[in-house]
Amino acid sequence: VIAEMVRAWDRRRRLMVDGINAIKGLSYTPSEGAFYAFVDGRETGLSSTDLAAKMLEEAHVAVVPGVAFGESGEGHVRLSFATSDEALTTTIERLTTLFGSR
């Protein structure tokens, strides 16, 4: 059961890396052992709070502004991938529609 869970988390992490990095203005370098993506949105020119609000209001994707984790988090948002593959695919599609593709 544990090996199956590890494969699922790895699949979801790779889905997020590929999906986020294909979106204009966003990037994500994965960390080891986490089920959160700390997405760099500085290329959008928005603060982390404004970026989080835009994602919620216009794409219906809830994230946490990076500034909540300290000053160095400014320009980033935290997005959980502790959900289904289907929900993650929908998230990527919504954010791609909002920001466009690279």
Side-chain angles (χ1 to χ4, degrees), residues 6-65:
V6 169
R7 282 191 300 275
W9 292 122
D10 185 56
R11 183 181 64 249
R12 292 175 183 139
R13 181 185 55 80
R14 284 183 281 121
L15 178 66
M16 293 302 294
V17 170
D18 295 343
I20 293 295
N21 288 332
I23 298 171
K24 186 177 178 182
L26 302 180
S27 63
Y28 165 50
T29 304
S31 59
E32 293 291 322
F35 51 85
Y36 292 102
F38 205 61
V39 177
D40 186 339
R42 291 176 290 183
E43 287 183 30
T44 66
L46 299 171
S47 70
S48 63
T49 304
D50 290 342
L51 183 58
K54 182 176 184 73
M55 289 177 168
L56 180 60
E57 293 166 7
E58 297 180 36
H60 306 288
V61 172
V63 297
V64 178

Side-chain angles (χ1 to χ4, degrees), residues 36-39 62-66 69 76-80:
Y36 292 102
F38 205 61
V39 177
V63 297
V64 178
F69 302 97
H76 295 72
V77 294
R78 188 176 84 165
L79 187 133
S80 173

